[in-house]
Amino acid sequence: MAVIECVPNVSEGRRADVVEALVNAIRRVPDVRLLDYSSDSAHNRSVITMAGDAAPLKDAVLALFDAAIPAIDLRTQTGEHPRLGAVDVVPFIPIEGVKMEACVALVKETAAEVARRFQVPVYLYEEASSNPARKNLEDIRRGEFEGLATKMSAPEWTPDYGPSTPHPRAGASVIGARMPLIAYNINLATDRLDVAKKIAAAIRQSSGGLRFVKAMGVKLEERGIVQVSMNLTNYEKTPMFRVFEAVRREAERYGVNVLESEIVGLVPAAALIGTAEYLLQLQGFKPNQVLETRLRAKDGT
Amino acid sequence: MAVIECVPNVSEGRRADVVEALVNAIRRVPDVRLLDYSSDSAHNRSVITMAGDAAPLKDAVLALFDAAIPAIDLRTQTGEHPRLGAVDVVPFIPIEGVKMEACVALVKETAAEVARRFQVPVYLYEEASSNPARKNLEDIRRGEFEGLATKMSAPEWTPDYGPSTPHPRAGASVIGARMPLIAYNINLATDRLDVAKKIAAAIRQSSGGLRFVKAMGVKLEERGIVQVSMNLTNYEKTPMFRVFEAVRREAERYGVNVLESEIVGLVPAAALIGTAEYLLQLQGFKPNQVLETRLRAKDGT
């Protein structure tokens, strides 16, 4: 059985009864694990985390749209967070026993059904988009709900699925597939913020560094040290050990040592197992050699 | 739910119908996963690997005894492998969501019930034994079935459970708890067997090295290199990265590099995750930060 994670972001974070109704719509779908949900009142936005196999997740997303469209009206919704739709963004994330390609297929099936059933236009993003100008969520969302009708009238912003005009209340939705994010910080044994900022600039993609690293230098005032604070957006292609070694080597030239690192929140086991393979110079290691994976495999003897 | 592995060794590896009957007795127990079984004709011995929570595993071991005692008679059984009983050795191994102490408790319950129900004397071993002279399987099994009656008449060999005389057909059983073994080899970029042997001697417990390492130096003839071949018997107390670093540093003094390493068979995810924690200098990392662990946790939201 595949494990896919799905993290819908909805444009409602103030009315607790509405959020509860949306979450309950997901709770009613069999074989979907609701893992977490949280609301931000200033952003007027909620993030729901769930997991399951492809078919039940698709049902859960459709149930969420079904509950959200009558309850959320973007013509009157306000909040700090940019948004294009009532169900604003829906990323699918491959976790276990599933390839990115299968997640992309699930995205497209789900998007087609959302468009058909609710007449909501859908843009694909990240790995599900084959148009380089429409891979990045920020590019798609620029102009927000208020600018959507004008934006959609341009031929380059014809949606991937559904009508070429916004849904009157629910706008448009952005559905896609991406790798799990890892929030990873490396603390340096110095109070020099300039060093952390120079290292961040050296290792992040935007200024010439590693492809799947976002980084900034920050000061941890209360501890008197600095931190290279990162998001790793594809641990398969830019692995954790390579990021760690790159930061360590950059720090060396300023005479600074790495004090420690930390993972904020969750990390896929494969990201850590890959790191161990590197340190141990493991050859020919296969994921099914991990005891827990074997124990959970479907085929017994 | 806890995951415990149990690997009974039975003294029958030639009569396929008997082995099949023993395995079928386990297959009939609900909530037990039969993972593997294999027979060795020369040893006249079969090894069965299964997993589950405590209560079903206990039922499975009792079902195995129930099937084995009428089918195996040690008075006529012969084979190369030393043995004390029809169901010779039964180790329980904590895998996930369970402490060693809980496995030891399960061993004692199972042993008491085996003794009561089948009048088979039982010795506890490894972590389940509190007697230093009776921790090691080889010490308990010395003298084999043929010497058992004499051995048991000595007060220091009174069994932990059951009668003080052998079961006429089934001898005695050794039941215990231990950590998972990791078969771990490090290949050196040299053909000098003396180097591999010196490193093995330096790092293994028996000659003064690390507590939970067994090691020997061997030649890989076809590749023209040598190997430090190891069994790691407690990866929590003697972790893989410490073993790797110890071998690497010992090799350095002979001017020899580590070429690669390999894990033979299965490895617990925790052993690799611990290695990543070391390399990344991770602080405050908790097992429930591993995404897969979180996904499998019982309590959803």
Side-chain angles (χ1 to χ4, degrees), chain B residues 194-211 213-217 228 230 242-243 246-251 253-254:
Chain B
D194 65 308
V195 169
K197 288 188 168 188
K198 279 176 195 157
I199 294 173
I203 62 152
R204 71 186 167 221
Q205 184 204 15
S206 64
S207 46
L210 294 161
R211 172 72 182 86
V213 176
K214 297 174 182 183
M216 60 182 180
V228 181
M230 294 173 284
R242 199 164 296 147
V243 173
V247 169
R248 195 179 60 74
R249 294 301 289 270
E250 291 292 327
R253 60 167 288 203
Y254 303 105

PDB file of all heavy atoms in Angstrom, chain B residues 194-211 213-217 228 230 242-243 246-251 253-254:
ATOM      1  N   ASP B 194      46.702  -9.741   6.972  1.00  0.00           N
ATOM      2  CA  ASP B 194      47.191  -9.454   8.333  1.00  0.00           C
ATOM      3  C   ASP B 194      46.615  -8.144   8.870  1.00  0.00           C
ATOM      4  O   ASP B 194      46.318  -8.019  10.058  1.00  0.00           O
ATOM      5  CB  ASP B 194      48.727  -9.427   8.363  1.00  0.00           C
ATOM      6  CG  ASP B 194      49.296  -8.277   7.526  1.00  0.00           C
ATOM      7  OD1 ASP B 194      48.911  -8.152   6.338  1.00  0.00           O
ATOM      8  OD2 ASP B 194      50.113  -7.488   8.048  1.00  0.00           O
ATOM      9  N   VAL B 195      46.411  -7.169   7.980  1.00  0.00           N
ATOM     10  CA  VAL B 195      45.837  -5.888   8.407  1.00  0.00           C
ATOM     11  C   VAL B 195      44.388  -6.090   8.870  1.00  0.00           C
ATOM     12  O   VAL B 195      43.978  -5.615   9.936  1.00  0.00           O
ATOM     13  CB  VAL B 195      45.923  -4.834   7.276  1.00  0.00           C
ATOM     14  CG1 VAL B 195      45.106  -3.593   7.616  1.00  0.00           C
ATOM     15  CG2 VAL B 195      47.372  -4.464   6.989  1.00  0.00           C
ATOM     16  N   ALA B 196      43.610  -6.813   8.061  1.00  0.00           N
ATOM     17  CA  ALA B 196      42.208  -7.066   8.442  1.00  0.00           C
ATOM     18  C   ALA B 196      42.131  -7.813   9.759  1.00  0.00           C
ATOM     19  O   ALA B 196      41.273  -7.520  10.615  1.00  0.00           O
ATOM     20  CB  ALA B 196      41.499  -7.854   7.336  1.00  0.00           C
ATOM     21  N   LYS B 197      43.046  -8.777   9.962  1.00  0.00           N
ATOM     22  CA  LYS B 197      43.017  -9.561  11.209  1.00  0.00           C
ATOM     23  C   LYS B 197      43.423  -8.705  12.407  1.00  0.00           C
ATOM     24  O   LYS B 197      42.848  -8.834  13.494  1.00  0.00           O
ATOM     25  CB  LYS B 197      43.946 -10.775  11.078  1.00  0.00           C
ATOM     26  CG  LYS B 197      43.366 -11.835  10.146  1.00  0.00           C
ATOM     27  CD  LYS B 197      44.182 -13.117  10.154  1.00  0.00           C
ATOM     28  CE  LYS B 197      43.388 -14.211   9.439  1.00  0.00           C
ATOM     29  NZ  LYS B 197      43.988 -15.529   9.542  1.00  0.00           N
ATOM     30  N   LYS B 198      44.404  -7.823  12.205  1.00  0.00           N
ATOM     31  CA  LYS B 198      44.829  -6.962  13.318  1.00  0.00           C
ATOM     32  C   LYS B 198      43.711  -5.980  13.690  1.00  0.00           C
ATOM     33  O   LYS B 198      43.478  -5.701  14.860  1.00  0.00           O
ATOM     34  CB  LYS B 198      46.094  -6.183  12.941  1.00  0.00           C
ATOM     35  CG  LYS B 198      47.363  -7.005  13.104  1.00  0.00           C
ATOM     36  CD  LYS B 198      48.566  -6.207  12.629  1.00  0.00           C
ATOM     37  CE  LYS B 198      49.781  -7.105  12.441  1.00  0.00           C
ATOM     38  NZ  LYS B 198      50.760  -6.508  11.507  1.00  0.00           N
ATOM     39  N   ILE B 199      43.033  -5.451  12.680  1.00  0.00           N
ATOM     40  CA  ILE B 199      41.930  -4.515  12.964  1.00  0.00           C
ATOM     41  C   ILE B 199      40.799  -5.240  13.681  1.00  0.00           C
ATOM     42  O   ILE B 199      40.247  -4.746  14.670  1.00  0.00           O
ATOM     43  CB  ILE B 199      41.430  -3.856  11.658  1.00  0.00           C
ATOM     44  CG1 ILE B 199      42.528  -2.965  11.063  1.00  0.00           C
ATOM     45  CG2 ILE B 199      40.157  -3.046  11.920  1.00  0.00           C
ATOM     46  CD1 ILE B 199      42.193  -2.397   9.695  1.00  0.00           C
ATOM     47  N   ALA B 200      40.455  -6.449  13.189  1.00  0.00           N
ATOM     48  CA  ALA B 200      39.390  -7.234  13.830  1.00  0.00           C
ATOM     49  C   ALA B 200      39.722  -7.464  15.307  1.00  0.00           C
ATOM     50  O   ALA B 200      38.871  -7.302  16.186  1.00  0.00           O
ATOM     51  CB  ALA B 200      39.188  -8.553  13.089  1.00  0.00           C
ATOM     52  N   ALA B 201      40.981  -7.824  15.565  1.00  0.00           N
ATOM     53  CA  ALA B 201      41.395  -8.078  16.953  1.00  0.00           C
ATOM     54  C   ALA B 201      41.312  -6.805  17.793  1.00  0.00           C
ATOM     55  O   ALA B 201      40.966  -6.847  18.974  1.00  0.00           O
ATOM     56  CB  ALA B 201      42.813  -8.651  16.975  1.00  0.00           C
ATOM     57  N   ALA B 202      41.610  -5.669  17.167  1.00  0.00           N
ATOM     58  CA  ALA B 202      41.606  -4.404  17.913  1.00  0.00           C
ATOM     59  C   ALA B 202      40.199  -3.960  18.285  1.00  0.00           C
ATOM     60  O   ALA B 202      39.999  -3.330  19.325  1.00  0.00           O
ATOM     61  CB  ALA B 202      42.293  -3.312  17.086  1.00  0.00           C
ATOM     62  N   ILE B 203      39.224  -4.271  17.453  1.00  0.00           N
ATOM     63  CA  ILE B 203      37.897  -3.689  17.703  1.00  0.00           C
ATOM     64  C   ILE B 203      36.913  -4.639  18.370  1.00  0.00           C
ATOM     65  O   ILE B 203      35.895  -4.201  18.877  1.00  0.00           O
ATOM     66  CB  ILE B 203      37.256  -3.161  16.398  1.00  0.00           C
ATOM     67  CG1 ILE B 203      37.041  -4.298  15.405  1.00  0.00           C
ATOM     68  CG2 ILE B 203      38.077  -2.046  15.775  1.00  0.00           C
ATOM     69  CD1 ILE B 203      35.887  -4.039  14.486  1.00  0.00           C
ATOM     70  N   ARG B 204      37.197  -5.960  18.382  1.00  0.00           N
ATOM     71  CA  ARG B 204      36.199  -6.871  18.962  1.00  0.00           C
ATOM     72  C   ARG B 204      36.355  -6.985  20.468  1.00  0.00           C
ATOM     73  O   ARG B 204      37.454  -6.872  21.011  1.00  0.00           O
ATOM     74  CB  ARG B 204      36.292  -8.241  18.291  1.00  0.00           C
ATOM     75  CG  ARG B 204      37.514  -9.020  18.653  1.00  0.00           C
ATOM     76  CD  ARG B 204      37.649 -10.317  17.851  1.00  0.00           C
ATOM     77  NE  ARG B 204      38.980 -10.862  18.014  1.00  0.00           N
ATOM     78  CZ  ARG B 204      39.699 -11.405  17.039  1.00  0.00           C
ATOM     79  NH1 ARG B 204      39.201 -11.499  15.816  1.00  0.00           N
ATOM     80  NH2 ARG B 204      40.908 -11.871  17.283  1.00  0.00           N
ATOM     81  N   GLN B 205      35.222  -7.266  21.107  1.00  0.00           N
ATOM     82  CA  GLN B 205      35.218  -7.352  22.562  1.00  0.00           C
ATOM     83  C   GLN B 205      36.180  -8.411  23.086  1.00  0.00           C
ATOM     84  O   GLN B 205      36.908  -8.174  24.040  1.00  0.00           O
ATOM     85  CB  GLN B 205      33.799  -7.690  23.055  1.00  0.00           C
ATOM     86  CG  GLN B 205      33.722  -7.697  24.584  1.00  0.00           C
ATOM     87  CD  GLN B 205      32.591  -8.560  25.095  1.00  0.00           C
ATOM     88  OE1 GLN B 205      32.033  -9.355  24.360  1.00  0.00           O
ATOM     89  NE2 GLN B 205      32.253  -8.391  26.356  1.00  0.00           N
ATOM     90  N   SER B 206      36.191  -9.576  22.444  1.00  0.00           N
ATOM     91  CA  SER B 206      36.913 -10.727  23.009  1.00  0.00           C
ATOM     92  C   SER B 206      38.394 -10.444  23.189  1.00  0.00           C
ATOM     93  O   SER B 206      39.040 -11.027  24.047  1.00  0.00           O
ATOM     94  CB  SER B 206      36.704 -11.955  22.125  1.00  0.00           C
ATOM     95  OG  SER B 206      37.283 -11.734  20.853  1.00  0.00           O
ATOM     96  N   SER B 207      38.954  -9.513  22.394  1.00  0.00           N
ATOM     97  CA  SER B 207      40.382  -9.222  22.576  1.00  0.00           C
ATOM     98  C   SER B 207      40.619  -7.785  23.042  1.00  0.00           C
ATOM     99  O   SER B 207      41.700  -7.238  22.822  1.00  0.00           O
ATOM    100  CB  SER B 207      41.149  -9.545  21.286  1.00  0.00           C
ATOM    101  OG  SER B 207      40.493  -9.025  20.151  1.00  0.00           O
ATOM    102  N   GLY B 208      39.585  -7.176  23.655  1.00  0.00           N
ATOM    103  CA  GLY B 208      39.815  -5.875  24.290  1.00  0.00           C
ATOM    104  C   GLY B 208      39.126  -4.700  23.630  1.00  0.00           C
ATOM    105  O   GLY B 208      39.278  -3.563  24.067  1.00  0.00           O
ATOM    106  N   GLY B 209      38.349  -4.950  22.562  1.00  0.00           N
ATOM    107  CA  GLY B 209      37.736  -3.859  21.815  1.00  0.00           C
ATOM    108  C   GLY B 209      36.356  -3.477  22.311  1.00  0.00           C
ATOM    109  O   GLY B 209      36.082  -3.518  23.521  1.00  0.00           O
ATOM    110  N   LEU B 210      35.496  -3.139  21.401  1.00  0.00           N
ATOM    111  CA  LEU B 210      34.174  -2.614  21.738  1.00  0.00           C
ATOM    112  C   LEU B 210      33.256  -3.726  22.250  1.00  0.00           C
ATOM    113  O   LEU B 210      33.265  -4.851  21.737  1.00  0.00           O
ATOM    114  CB  LEU B 210      33.566  -1.940  20.502  1.00  0.00           C
ATOM    115  CG  LEU B 210      34.321  -0.682  20.040  1.00  0.00           C
ATOM    116  CD1 LEU B 210      33.974  -0.338  18.598  1.00  0.00           C
ATOM    117  CD2 LEU B 210      34.015   0.488  20.963  1.00  0.00           C
ATOM    118  N   ARG B 211      32.423  -3.386  23.226  1.00  0.00           N
ATOM    119  CA  ARG B 211      31.646  -4.359  23.987  1.00  0.00           C
ATOM    120  C   ARG B 211      30.776  -5.273  23.118  1.00  0.00           C
ATOM    121  O   ARG B 211      30.694  -6.473  23.339  1.00  0.00           O
ATOM    122  CB  ARG B 211      30.768  -3.596  24.995  1.00  0.00           C
ATOM    123  CG  ARG B 211      29.745  -4.416  25.760  1.00  0.00           C
ATOM    124  CD  ARG B 211      30.384  -5.305  26.802  1.00  0.00           C
ATOM    125  NE  ARG B 211      29.379  -6.109  27.495  1.00  0.00           N
ATOM    126  CZ  ARG B 211      28.931  -7.272  27.054  1.00  0.00           C
ATOM    127  NH1 ARG B 211      29.401  -7.775  25.943  1.00  0.00           N
ATOM    128  NH2 ARG B 211      28.027  -7.933  27.750  1.00  0.00           N
ATOM    129  N   VAL B 213      30.782  -6.037  19.763  1.00  0.00           N
ATOM    130  CA  VAL B 213      31.314  -6.330  18.425  1.00  0.00           C
ATOM    131  C   VAL B 213      31.997  -7.694  18.428  1.00  0.00           C
ATOM    132  O   VAL B 213      32.835  -7.973  19.284  1.00  0.00           O
ATOM    133  CB  VAL B 213      32.336  -5.252  17.989  1.00  0.00           C
ATOM    134  CG1 VAL B 213      32.957  -5.627  16.635  1.00  0.00           C
ATOM    135  CG2 VAL B 213      31.675  -3.885  17.912  1.00  0.00           C
ATOM    136  N   LYS B 214      31.588  -8.547  17.470  1.00  0.00           N
ATOM    137  CA  LYS B 214      32.350  -9.747  17.142  1.00  0.00           C
ATOM    138  C   LYS B 214      32.965  -9.495  15.770  1.00  0.00           C
ATOM    139  O   LYS B 214      32.280  -8.968  14.890  1.00  0.00           O
ATOM    140  CB  LYS B 214      31.441 -10.978  17.095  1.00  0.00           C
ATOM    141  CG  LYS B 214      30.790 -11.293  18.431  1.00  0.00           C
ATOM    142  CD  LYS B 214      29.780 -12.439  18.331  1.00  0.00           C
ATOM    143  CE  LYS B 214      29.132 -12.664  19.688  1.00  0.00           C
ATOM    144  NZ  LYS B 214      28.206 -13.814  19.671  1.00  0.00           N
ATOM    145  N   ALA B 215      34.231  -9.833  15.576  1.00  0.00           N
ATOM    146  CA  ALA B 215      34.875  -9.486  14.303  1.00  0.00           C
ATOM    147  C   ALA B 215      35.945 -10.492  13.930  1.00  0.00           C
ATOM    148  O   ALA B 215      36.571 -11.104  14.803  1.00  0.00           O
ATOM    149  CB  ALA B 215      35.498  -8.091  14.401  1.00  0.00           C
ATOM    150  N   MET B 216      36.102 -10.680  12.622  1.00  0.00           N
ATOM    151  CA  MET B 216      37.255 -11.448  12.132  1.00  0.00           C
ATOM    152  C   MET B 216      37.707 -10.848  10.809  1.00  0.00           C
ATOM    153  O   MET B 216      36.957 -10.160  10.121  1.00  0.00           O
ATOM    154  CB  MET B 216      36.900 -12.931  11.976  1.00  0.00           C
ATOM    155  CG  MET B 216      35.762 -13.209  11.013  1.00  0.00           C
ATOM    156  SD  MET B 216      35.406 -14.999  10.956  1.00  0.00           S
ATOM    157  CE  MET B 216      34.060 -15.027   9.790  1.00  0.00           C
ATOM    158  N   GLY B 217      38.982 -11.095  10.475  1.00  0.00           N
ATOM    159  CA  GLY B 217      39.507 -10.631   9.196  1.00  0.00           C
ATOM    160  C   GLY B 217      39.404 -11.751   8.172  1.00  0.00           C
ATOM    161  O   GLY B 217      39.754 -12.895   8.478  1.00  0.00           O
ATOM    162  N   VAL B 228      36.913  -6.720   7.124  1.00  0.00           N
ATOM    163  CA  VAL B 228      36.652  -6.925   8.542  1.00  0.00           C
ATOM    164  C   VAL B 228      35.173  -7.309   8.635  1.00  0.00           C
ATOM    165  O   VAL B 228      34.294  -6.489   8.366  1.00  0.00           O
ATOM    166  CB  VAL B 228      36.947  -5.666   9.377  1.00  0.00           C
ATOM    167  CG1 VAL B 228      36.681  -5.937  10.857  1.00  0.00           C
ATOM    168  CG2 VAL B 228      38.382  -5.208   9.156  1.00  0.00           C
ATOM    169  N   MET B 230      31.903  -8.500  10.620  1.00  0.00           N
ATOM    170  CA  MET B 230      31.463  -8.277  11.998  1.00  0.00           C
ATOM    171  C   MET B 230      30.014  -8.659  12.257  1.00  0.00           C
ATOM    172  O   MET B 230      29.181  -8.653  11.356  1.00  0.00           O
ATOM    173  CB  MET B 230      31.617  -6.778  12.337  1.00  0.00           C
ATOM    174  CG  MET B 230      33.062  -6.326  12.355  1.00  0.00           C
ATOM    175  SD  MET B 230      33.194  -4.525  12.541  1.00  0.00           S
ATOM    176  CE  MET B 230      32.755  -4.005  10.886  1.00  0.00           C
ATOM    177  N   ARG B 242      30.319   4.353  15.445  1.00  0.00           N
ATOM    178  CA  ARG B 242      31.509   4.228  16.288  1.00  0.00           C
ATOM    179  C   ARG B 242      32.380   3.063  15.808  1.00  0.00           C
ATOM    180  O   ARG B 242      33.607   3.142  15.815  1.00  0.00           O
ATOM    181  CB  ARG B 242      31.085   4.048  17.754  1.00  0.00           C
ATOM    182  CG  ARG B 242      32.197   4.356  18.738  1.00  0.00           C
ATOM    183  CD  ARG B 242      31.663   4.550  20.151  1.00  0.00           C
ATOM    184  NE  ARG B 242      30.787   5.709  20.239  1.00  0.00           N
ATOM    185  CZ  ARG B 242      29.738   5.806  21.059  1.00  0.00           C
ATOM    186  NH1 ARG B 242      29.423   4.795  21.855  1.00  0.00           N
ATOM    187  NH2 ARG B 242      29.016   6.898  21.078  1.00  0.00           N
ATOM    188  N   VAL B 243      31.711   1.996  15.369  1.00  0.00           N
ATOM    189  CA  VAL B 243      32.441   0.850  14.825  1.00  0.00           C
ATOM    190  C   VAL B 243      33.141   1.248  13.531  1.00  0.00           C
ATOM    191  O   VAL B 243      34.327   0.958  13.332  1.00  0.00           O
ATOM    192  CB  VAL B 243      31.459  -0.322  14.579  1.00  0.00           C
ATOM    193  CG1 VAL B 243      32.150  -1.464  13.855  1.00  0.00           C
ATOM    194  CG2 VAL B 243      30.848  -0.788  15.898  1.00  0.00           C
ATOM    195  N   ALA B 246      36.077   3.473  14.286  1.00  0.00           N
ATOM    196  CA  ALA B 246      37.163   2.715  14.924  1.00  0.00           C
ATOM    197  C   ALA B 246      37.952   1.927  13.871  1.00  0.00           C
ATOM    198  O   ALA B 246      39.191   1.917  13.883  1.00  0.00           O
ATOM    199  CB  ALA B 246      36.586   1.781  15.989  1.00  0.00           C
ATOM    200  N   VAL B 247      37.247   1.289  12.944  1.00  0.00           N
ATOM    201  CA  VAL B 247      37.926   0.513  11.899  1.00  0.00           C
ATOM    202  C   VAL B 247      38.735   1.454  11.004  1.00  0.00           C
ATOM    203  O   VAL B 247      39.884   1.179  10.651  1.00  0.00           O
ATOM    204  CB  VAL B 247      36.904  -0.298  11.066  1.00  0.00           C
ATOM    205  CG1 VAL B 247      37.560  -0.891   9.817  1.00  0.00           C
ATOM    206  CG2 VAL B 247      36.287  -1.399  11.918  1.00  0.00           C
ATOM    207  N   ARG B 248      38.139   2.588  10.639  1.00  0.00           N
ATOM    208  CA  ARG B 248      38.808   3.541   9.762  1.00  0.00           C
ATOM    209  C   ARG B 248      40.115   4.057  10.387  1.00  0.00           C
ATOM    210  O   ARG B 248      41.153   4.132   9.725  1.00  0.00           O
ATOM    211  CB  ARG B 248      37.864   4.720   9.482  1.00  0.00           C
ATOM    212  CG  ARG B 248      38.273   5.618   8.321  1.00  0.00           C
ATOM    213  CD  ARG B 248      37.272   6.737   8.109  1.00  0.00           C
ATOM    214  NE  ARG B 248      37.149   7.600   9.283  1.00  0.00           N
ATOM    215  CZ  ARG B 248      38.068   8.491   9.666  1.00  0.00           C
ATOM    216  NH1 ARG B 248      39.157   8.657   8.969  1.00  0.00           N
ATOM    217  NH2 ARG B 248      37.876   9.211  10.757  1.00  0.00           N
ATOM    218  N   ARG B 249      40.062   4.368  11.691  1.00  0.00           N
ATOM    219  CA  ARG B 249      41.255   4.887  12.366  1.00  0.00           C
ATOM    220  C   ARG B 249      42.321   3.805  12.523  1.00  0.00           C
ATOM    221  O   ARG B 249      43.514   4.083  12.407  1.00  0.00           O
ATOM    222  CB  ARG B 249      40.891   5.476  13.739  1.00  0.00           C
ATOM    223  CG  ARG B 249      40.027   6.715  13.661  1.00  0.00           C
ATOM    224  CD  ARG B 249      40.695   7.820  12.873  1.00  0.00           C
ATOM    225  NE  ARG B 249      41.829   8.407  13.580  1.00  0.00           N
ATOM    226  CZ  ARG B 249      41.738   9.442  14.397  1.00  0.00           C
ATOM    227  NH1 ARG B 249      40.583  10.036  14.594  1.00  0.00           N
ATOM    228  NH2 ARG B 249      42.809   9.910  15.009  1.00  0.00           N
ATOM    229  N   GLU B 250      41.908   2.586  12.806  1.00  0.00           N
ATOM    230  CA  GLU B 250      42.883   1.493  12.905  1.00  0.00           C
ATOM    231  C   GLU B 250      43.545   1.247  11.552  1.00  0.00           C
ATOM    232  O   GLU B 250      44.750   1.021  11.462  1.00  0.00           O
ATOM    233  CB  GLU B 250      42.203   0.207  13.394  1.00  0.00           C
ATOM    234  CG  GLU B 250      41.728   0.244  14.836  1.00  0.00           C
ATOM    235  CD  GLU B 250      42.878   0.299  15.849  1.00  0.00           C
ATOM    236  OE1 GLU B 250      43.945  -0.290  15.579  1.00  0.00           O
ATOM    237  OE2 GLU B 250      42.698   0.955  16.896  1.00  0.00           O
ATOM    238  N   ALA B 251      42.752   1.319  10.484  1.00  0.00           N
ATOM    239  CA  ALA B 251      43.288   1.071   9.136  1.00  0.00           C
ATOM    240  C   ALA B 251      44.323   2.134   8.768  1.00  0.00           C
ATOM    241  O   ALA B 251      45.348   1.834   8.131  1.00  0.00           O
ATOM    242  CB  ALA B 251      42.154   1.053   8.114  1.00  0.00           C
ATOM    243  N   ARG B 253      46.583   3.566  10.432  1.00  0.00           N
ATOM    244  CA  ARG B 253      47.958   3.374  10.917  1.00  0.00           C
ATOM    245  C   ARG B 253      48.731   2.367  10.079  1.00  0.00           C
ATOM    246  O   ARG B 253      49.948   2.234  10.201  1.00  0.00           O
ATOM    247  CB  ARG B 253      47.980   3.005  12.400  1.00  0.00           C
ATOM    248  CG  ARG B 253      47.245   1.738  12.744  1.00  0.00           C
ATOM    249  CD  ARG B 253      47.566   1.286  14.148  1.00  0.00           C
ATOM    250  NE  ARG B 253      48.934   0.773  14.219  1.00  0.00           N
ATOM    251  CZ  ARG B 253      49.360  -0.075  15.145  1.00  0.00           C
ATOM    252  NH1 ARG B 253      48.540  -0.472  16.095  1.00  0.00           N
ATOM    253  NH2 ARG B 253      50.603  -0.507  15.147  1.00  0.00           N
ATOM    254  N   TYR B 254      48.000   1.614   9.238  1.00  0.00           N
ATOM    255  CA  TYR B 254      48.687   0.735   8.280  1.00  0.00           C
ATOM    256  C   TYR B 254      48.706   1.364   6.889  1.00  0.00           C
ATOM    257  O   TYR B 254      49.057   0.713   5.908  1.00  0.00           O
ATOM    258  CB  TYR B 254      47.999  -0.634   8.224  1.00  0.00           C
ATOM    259  CG  TYR B 254      47.927  -1.304   9.580  1.00  0.00           C
ATOM    260  CD1 TYR B 254      46.728  -1.365  10.283  1.00  0.00           C
ATOM    261  CD2 TYR B 254      49.070  -1.850  10.171  1.00  0.00           C
ATOM    262  CE1 TYR B 254      46.662  -1.956  11.537  1.00  0.00           C
ATOM    263  CE2 TYR B 254      49.013  -2.447  11.416  1.00  0.00           C
ATOM    264  CZ  TYR B 254      47.805  -2.491  12.096  1.00  0.00           C
ATOM    265  OH  TYR B 254      47.750  -3.072  13.336  1.00  0.00           O
TER     266      TYR B 254
END
